[in-house]
Amino acid sequence: SQTIHQWPATLVQPVGSPLSLECTVEGTSNPNLYWYRQAAGRGLQLLFYSVGIGQISSEVPQNLSASRPQDRQFILSSKKLLLSDSGFYLCAWSTRDRGGPLHFGNGTRLTVT
Amino acid sequence: GDSVTQMEGPVTLSEEACLTINCTYTATGYPSLFWYVQYPGEGLQLLLKATKADDKGSNKGFEATYRKETTSFHLEKGSVQVSDSAVYFCALLNTGGFKTIFGAGTRLFVKA
């Protein structure tokens, strides 16, 4: 069966520090991969998605970036965090089938202080 | 652009009460529609889905029918339990592609 791992579960970082969140998927090949952010009490905002190794589409211009160095690995990064980067970050995958649902990791709660 | 609008919460119900969470959408083409559920401190899980008009998705006693004429996908359950307390998200995925669009979420509290 397919599983998705996302870490760390919680993170407290000072303003201006770098960020690296990692997500890996097991049990499937060539998945579509996604990073979403959920601000407190609000819906989900799509940040990045990837349909293949090295292919990244950005939905929101900001100081975050994403990379996909391997087929089932997706990394969210920042060189310098802002207070507004605080939130709940969710990685997700889907199959290449049209209309396929998303499968989410358990999320990373990031607090920038 | 595509969008999803769902009723604001929180919704507070007593155990065994009936639940309806309204969801309407705007989309070009023929999207797939989903309900996801998020329990405290966790990621989202797929609850049910429907891929074409008049389809009914169902799971764990929850149901939703894809109504193209009213562009709606309301979530219903006849008798809620305390364990149903969570945040529920309506979402659509258009036929084009890769981006699932979510509503703002509706928090449900069920009291014993």
Side-chain angles (χ1 to χ4, degrees):
Chain A
S1 63
Q2 302 93 351
T3 57
I4 178 169
H5 303 281
Q6 187 181 341
W7 69 93
T10 59
L11 191 59
V12 180
Q13 293 283 99
V15 169
S17 63
L19 173 73
S20 181
L21 302 181
E22 189 162 344
C23 172
T24 59
V25 180
E26 297 177 358
T28 187
S29 296
N30 302 315
N32 296 326
L33 296 173
Y34 306 82
W35 280 109
Y36 281 86
R37 179 169 60 199
Q38 184 178 22
R42 298 172 66 179
L44 278 76
Q45 179 186 37
L46 178 61
L47 301 176
F48 302 94
Y49 67 94
S50 171
V51 300
I53 296 174
Q55 300 179 57
I56 308 295
S57 296
S58 173
E59 289 297 299
V60 183
Q62 56 198 342
N63 67 319
L64 298 173
S65 62
S67 62
R68 184 172 178 172
Q70 301 179 43
D71 180 47
R72 290 170 289 177
Q73 184 185 25
F74 205 25
I75 298 171
L76 182 70
S77 303
S78 174
K79 293 182 179 178
K80 289 186 178 182
L81 284 168
L82 307 173
L83 285 174
S84 58
D85 291 323
S86 294
F88 193 47
Y89 289 81
L90 290 158
C91 182
W93 70 272
S94 69
T95 64
R96 295 300 177 89
D97 299 337
R98 301 291 188 186
L102 293 169
H103 306 274
F104 285 87
N106 282 330
T108 296
R109 184 160 304 283
L110 172 66
T111 304
V112 182
T113 60
Chain B
D2 298 346
S3 66
V4 175
T5 302
Q6 60 182 106
M7 62 187 288
E8 291 188 22
V11 174
T12 302
L13 296 173
S14 297
E15 205 165 24
E16 299 184 2
C18 296
L19 168 71
T20 299
I21 300 178
N22 291 333
C23 171
T24 57
Y25 68 91
T26 301
T28 56
Y30 304 95
S32 295
L33 301 175
F34 307 88
W35 278 99
Y36 290 85
V37 59
Q38 184 179 33
Y39 298 103
E42 298 183 6
L44 280 71
Q45 304 172 24
L46 177 67
L47 181 60
L48 53 85
K49 71 173 185 176
T51 57
K52 61 184 186 296
D54 299 325
D55 269 2
K56 177 185 283 188
S58 62
N59 186 24
K60 299 181 181 179
F62 291 89
E63 293 182 339
T65 301
Y66 190 142
R67 302 287 188 198
K68 187 169 174 60
E69 63 277 13
T70 55
T71 62
S72 65
F73 193 54
H74 305 321
L75 182 67
E76 299 176 325
K77 186 174 186 182
S79 176
V80 295
Q81 306 301 312
V82 172
S83 57
D84 294 327
S85 298
V87 180
Y88 292 82
F89 292 91
C90 185
L92 71 82
L93 176 63
N94 214 328
T95 48
F98 308 105
K99 294 186 286 185
T100 299
I101 307 299
F102 287 86
T106 302
R107 184 174 295 276
L108 171 65
F109 292 104
V110 181
K111 301 185 295 185

